[in-house]
């Protein structure tokens, strides 16, 4: 392993300047935005799904955007969908709307459970409540995320920078705590909605909160770094799961989707953004990669083949529902293991939590249910 790779994560050697990584990352983003519709022209919209009866799916952040479309289409295809959300009333309103849109058809199997990713204790409560049912879980979609463009640095009540907590730490904790139910639902899948912006990310395990002054905080750095950390953590998780567990771990890119992330930017920027909808995916189009990863029959074998070939990252599915290569930094296995160890400490779990849970042992989290 060369020293330039090590320096991107450990700080032992001066890493690539942010402006250089940003330039590279934005080139990826602009290319994706300009050509994503052409690249995905083979896909139907909405994406056709197989019958999903007796399939239990948890979708976080499912009251708006990509998560809403993902939950709705899974439910219409017959899955039992759990909308894991902070705003429960909004979720109930959506369920009523979906039912009104389908008069005379079979009822949707959808329920709402409270989950606030800005509270790790809330994650523990949610996982405990689901696991206590002793029911199988076939699909976990970690969709919820934030990108507070142009806003000042903020921290959760757990003391973590909010992009890191919502986009990475809380989903990581949820994925591990739900392993007992995912084993019951085997073959099952953990799907993490990622972003092409992980290509411009970096992870310094000594300064995950951007508080030591090594890097001046901005929202783009925080967001892209949280998405890179997500890929690296889940790559290690996939390696630690034995084949007999029957759990596939994936990251997916939804593409460049038209959202409300520009609401806090200057009016001129907002106007420019609204001039390019021709190139942007709708939320329905953006949901296709997650839906493909959740339902395509070839996914388990693909993930198994990557693992057998000792591929350094977990499976990564692009916006066109095709396998793609994650950022070079994610292929640094030494750095990925550092991210794993640091993350497990931050979310309050022992390093052998995966192994213990798979053996049916109880694992204590410091963010215990209260």
């Amino acid at each position: 392993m060369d020293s330039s790779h090590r320096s991107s994560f450990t700080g032992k050697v001066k890493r690539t300047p942010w402006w250089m990584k940003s330039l590279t990352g934005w080139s990826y983003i602009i290319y994706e935005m300009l050509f994503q519709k052409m690249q995905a022209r083979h896909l139907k919209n909405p994406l056709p799904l197989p019958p999903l009866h007796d399939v239990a799916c948890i979708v976080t952040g499912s009251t708006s955007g990509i998560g809403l479309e993902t939950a709705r289409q899974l439910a219409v295809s017959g899955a039992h969908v759990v909308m894991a959300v902070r705003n429960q009333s909004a979720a109930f309103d959506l369920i009523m709307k979906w039912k009104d849109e389908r008069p005379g058809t079979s009822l949707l199997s959808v329920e709402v459970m409270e989950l606030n990713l800005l509270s790790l204790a809330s994650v523990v409560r949610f996982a405990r409540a689901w696991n206590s049912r002793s029911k199988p879980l076939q699909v976990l979609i970690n969709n919820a995320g934030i990108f507070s463009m142009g806003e000042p640095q903020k921290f959760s009540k757990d003391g973590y920078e909010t992009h890191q907590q919502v986009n990475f730490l809380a989903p990581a904790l949820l994925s591990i705590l739900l392993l007992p139910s995912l084993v019951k639902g085997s073959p099952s899948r953990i799907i993490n909605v990622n972003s092409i912006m992980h290509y411009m990310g970096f992870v310094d395990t000594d300064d995950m909160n951007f508080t030591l002054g090594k890097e001046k905080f901005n929202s783009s750095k925080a967001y892209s770094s949280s998405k890179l950390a997500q890929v690296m953590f889940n790559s290690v998780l996939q390696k630690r799961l034995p084949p007999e567990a029957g759990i596939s771990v994936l990251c997916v890119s939804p593409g460049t989707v038209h959202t409300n992330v520009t609401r806090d930017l200057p009016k001129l920027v907002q106007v420019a953004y609204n001039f390019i909808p021709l190139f942007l995916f709708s939320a329905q189009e953006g949901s296709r990669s997650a839906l493909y990863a959740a339902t395509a029959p070839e996914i388990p074998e693909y993930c198994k083949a990557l693992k057998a070939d000792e591929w350094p990252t977990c499976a990564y599915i692009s916006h066109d529902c095709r396998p793609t290569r994650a950022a070079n930094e994610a292929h640094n296995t030494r750095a990925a293991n550092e991210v794993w160890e640091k993350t497990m400490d931050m979310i309050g779990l022992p390093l052998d939590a995966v192994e213990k849970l798979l053996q049916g042992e109880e694992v204590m989290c410091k963010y215990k249910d209260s």
Side-chain angles (χ1 to χ4, degrees):
M1 182 188 306
D2 61 61
S3 61
S4 63
H5 278 178
R6 289 198 301 270
S7 66
S8 295
F9 305 94
T10 64
K12 294 176 182 176
V13 181
K14 185 177 181 180
R15 63 168 169 254
T16 304
W18 165 250
W19 70 267
M20 292 181 62
K21 292 187 66 65
S22 181
L23 186 63
T24 301
W26 280 111
S27 68
Y28 278 104
I29 294 166
I30 293 170
Y31 180 86
E32 177 185 82
M33 182 187 69
L34 292 176
F35 297 105
Q36 62 180 3
K37 288 203 171 185
M38 183 183 301
Q39 293 167 338
R41 64 185 180 275
H42 63 286
L43 298 176
K44 294 181 179 180
N45 188 47
L47 188 74
L49 301 181
L52 298 173
H53 303 289
D54 300 321
V55 175
C57 306
I58 294 174
V59 185
T60 68
S62 43
T63 55
S64 64
I66 295 170
L68 184 158
E69 286 295 333
T70 301
R72 183 183 65 82
Q73 292 181 64
L74 290 171
V76 168
S77 297
H80 176 71
V81 176
V82 179
M83 299 178 72
V85 297
R86 182 171 53 178
N87 188 342
Q88 296 182 80
S89 62
F92 285 119
D93 289 344
L94 283 169
I95 294 171
M96 294 302 298
K97 178 182 177 182
W98 297 341
K99 290 179 179 179
D100 291 342
E101 291 172 347
R102 306 174 72 251
T105 60
S106 58
L107 294 177
L108 301 179
S109 180
V110 187
E111 67 172 303
V112 179
M113 293 179 65
E114 183 180 10
L115 175 64
N116 179 4
L117 297 181
L118 282 170
S119 166
L120 295 179
S122 175
V123 176
V124 175
R125 284 194 297 272
F126 178 94
R128 183 170 297 173
W130 177 266
N131 288 335
S132 67
R133 302 181 182 187
S134 297
K135 291 184 177 180
L137 174 63
Q138 282 79 24
V139 179
L140 168 63
I141 301 181
N142 289 312
N143 163 81
I146 60 171
F147 186 6
S148 303
M149 291 182 68
E151 293 188 6
Q153 189 173 18
K154 297 177 183 177
F155 297 91
S156 72
K157 68 178 183 179
D158 299 312
Y160 299 128
E161 194 277 323
T162 52
H163 291 88
Q164 292 291 337
Q165 174 144 342
V166 174
N167 299 344
F168 168 49
L169 295 174
L173 178 60
L174 182 64
S175 297
I176 292 178
L177 294 182
L178 288 176
L179 285 177
S181 294
L182 287 161
V183 170
K184 288 187 178 75
S186 175
S188 55
R189 309 176 190 195
I190 299 173
I191 297 153
N192 302 280
V193 177
N194 200 256
S195 169
I196 196 171
M197 284 188 70
H198 86 277
Y199 281 92
M200 70 169 72
F202 61 88
V203 182
D204 184 342
T205 53
D206 293 329
D207 192 19
M208 300 280 278
N209 269 346
F210 293 90
T211 55
L212 300 183
K214 293 183 178 182
E215 284 284 348
K216 185 178 179 180
F217 174 86
N218 69 50
S219 54
S220 293
K221 288 180 185 178
Y223 179 81
S224 59
S225 298
S226 70
K227 291 300 185 179
L228 176 60
Q230 183 183 67
V231 179
M232 298 171 78
F233 179 88
N234 282 281
S235 297
V236 178
L237 175 59
Q238 179 69 94
K239 291 180 177 64
R240 296 179 79 101
L241 292 171
E244 58 269 23
I247 303 174
S248 301
V249 181
L250 307 93
C251 289
V252 302
S253 174
T256 308
V257 181
H258 194 280
T259 68
N260 62 352
V261 295
T262 61
R263 64 187 182 276
D264 298 309
L265 294 181
K267 293 295 182 182
L268 184 61
V269 178
Q270 296 184 40
V271 170
Y273 183 78
N274 289 325
F275 269 117
I276 57 174
L278 178 66
F279 300 101
L280 301 180
F281 277 170
S282 66
Q284 189 176 74
E285 291 171 318
S287 69
R288 292 181 297 194
S289 57
L291 290 168
Y292 169 78
T295 62
E298 62 268 24
I299 288 295
E301 287 302 318
Y302 172 60
C303 292
K304 190 182 299 181
L306 288 182
K307 190 170 182 179
D309 291 341
E310 297 185 354
W311 187 248
T313 70
C314 64
Y316 199 103
I317 304 298
S318 188
H319 59 274
D320 57 1
C321 296
R322 293 186 173 112
T324 192
R325 178 187 171 92
N328 288 337
E329 286 87 343
H331 289 69
N332 185 333
T333 54
R334 174 177 172 178
N337 281 307
E338 290 179 11
V339 170
W340 171 271
E341 292 178 6
K342 179 66 174 182
T343 303
M344 295 298 279
D345 178 63
M346 294 174 76
I347 62 179
L349 292 176
L351 288 177
D352 59 352
V354 169
E355 291 74 17
K356 286 184 175 180
L357 287 169
L358 294 179
Q359 293 168 8
E361 298 180 30
E362 186 175 357
V363 171
M364 298 300 296
C365 175
K366 74 178 182 181
Y367 299 98
K368 60 184 178 180
D369 188 7
S370 59

